[in-house]
């Protein structure tokens, strides 16, 4: 276990806790007081840490994901679905006509896009809550762009899937989903901010001479870059 700790960077007491909780299989006994841990244990530790540190999942959710990876009868698509579902925060929206209207809009979007996700899925519910929040903030017109955003999201999902499919082991696939979902969203958000700054500069820095547009927009673009 000490060697496993050195290879993985996970403290021995933490490893013992994972073994007691059934998250990590016990090592193969080589003597009454020693056990052997192989590359499979190290990979499992890496997955647990990714689910905890990157995904922010509670131990109960991690157990669900690990059970799915350990069941050879579960299709890989189902395993990835379990992991992705556990990454979506629980619903906190207050039921009401606004939420029901948003759910209907999301169901319509799913149908238009030809997606197989159910309108009651965790992702659909999260999107419905976002639509309610947009309207509550006075930006309901932003929802008119929903279909265009869905097209971009589908393209991003194909890129994500291309990355995920590189992993051969089921645990590698699940870990890729966690990293791709959490850090991938952060990366996409940063790229979007960079693109906003560039699009703003292209659109507004070439104002007519003397109208002040170029100077003001240039300052806004510079502030965005900072």
């Amino acid at each position: 276990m000490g060697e496993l700790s050195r290879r993985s960077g996970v403290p021995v007491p933490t490893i013992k806790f994972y073994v007691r909780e059934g998250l990590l299989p016990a090592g193969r006994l080589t003597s009454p007081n020693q056990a052997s841990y192989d590359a499979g244990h190290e990979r499992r530790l890496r997955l647990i840490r990714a689910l905890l540190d990157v995904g922010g999942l509670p131990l109960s959710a991690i157990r669900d994901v690990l059970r799915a990876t350990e069941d050879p009868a579960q299709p890989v698509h189902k395993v990835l679905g379990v992991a992705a579902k556990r990454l979506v925060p629980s619903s906190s929206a207050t039921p009401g006509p606004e939420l029901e209207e948003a759910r209907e809009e999301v169901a319509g979007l799913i149908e238009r896009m030809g997606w197989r996700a159910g309108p009651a899925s965790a992702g659909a519910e999260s999107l419905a809550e976002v639509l309610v929040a947009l309207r509550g903030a006075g930006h309901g017109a932003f929802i008119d762009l929903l279909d265009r955003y869905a097209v971009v999201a589908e393209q991003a999902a194909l890129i994500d899937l291309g990355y995920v499919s590189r992993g051969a082991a089921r645990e590698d696939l699940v870990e890729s989903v966690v990293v791709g979902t959490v850090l991938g969203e952060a990366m996409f958000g940063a790229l979007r901010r960079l693109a906003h700054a560039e699009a703003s500069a292209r659109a507004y820095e070439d104002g007519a001479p003397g109208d002040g547009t170029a100077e003001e927009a240039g300052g806004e673009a510079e502030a965005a870059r900072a």
Side-chain angles (χ1 to χ4, degrees):
M1 187 173 290
E3 178 61 28
L4 177 62
S5 175
R6 285 189 290 273
R7 294 198 309 264
S8 65
V10 179
V12 170
T14 303
I15 296 176
K16 291 181 177 179
F17 172 75
Y18 293 157
V19 172
R20 287 198 306 270
E21 292 296 313
L23 299 174
L24 184 71
R28 182 176 59 85
L29 286 176
T30 55
S31 72
N33 298 319
Q34 284 191 330
S36 173
Y37 296 86
D38 56 21
H41 290 89
E42 187 175 352
R43 185 175 64 245
R44 171 60 65 88
L45 270 179
R46 187 174 67 244
L47 176 57
I48 294 171
R49 298 309 303 183
L51 292 170
L52 276 170
D53 300 335
V54 183
L57 270 66
L59 290 180
S60 60
I62 293 176
R63 287 192 188 92
D64 290 346
V65 173
L66 295 179
R67 288 194 187 104
T69 63
E70 291 170 345
D71 185 358
Q74 292 279 12
V76 171
H77 175 72
K78 182 67 176 294
V79 175
L80 298 181
V82 171
K85 181 178 181 180
R86 278 304 209 162
L87 291 171
V88 179
S90 300
S91 175
S92 58
T94 302
E98 296 86 0
L99 183 57
E100 288 304 318
E101 179 183 356
R103 285 169 174 166
E104 292 178 3
E105 289 176 306
V106 173
L109 171 71
I110 292 173
E111 183 177 358
R112 290 193 301 275
M113 294 297 296
W115 291 344
R116 303 182 187 185
S121 64
E125 187 68 11
S126 293
L127 179 56
E129 293 178 11
V130 171
L131 300 190
V132 172
L134 281 170
R135 289 198 173 96
H139 290 276
F142 200 76
I143 300 173
D144 295 339
L145 305 176
L146 191 59
D147 285 62
R148 294 172 65 182
Y149 273 104
V151 172
V152 175
E154 187 172 62
Q155 294 171 347
L158 291 174
I159 296 173
D160 291 342
L161 188 59
Y163 171 75
V164 169
S165 63
R166 295 178 185 179
R170 292 163 71 91
E171 291 191 5
D172 290 339
L173 289 173
V174 176
E175 185 174 339
S176 296
V177 168
V178 175
V179 174
T181 299
V182 179
L183 296 186
E185 287 186 5
M187 180 177 68
F188 191 80
L191 287 170
R192 188 185 183 201
R193 289 190 291 273
L194 287 171
H196 276 178
E198 177 61 22
S200 174
R202 291 180 183 180
Y204 301 117
E205 281 189 345
D206 296 329
D211 66 0
T213 304
E215 181 179 352
E216 293 174 6
E220 292 174 358
E222 188 64 31
R225 291 191 187 99

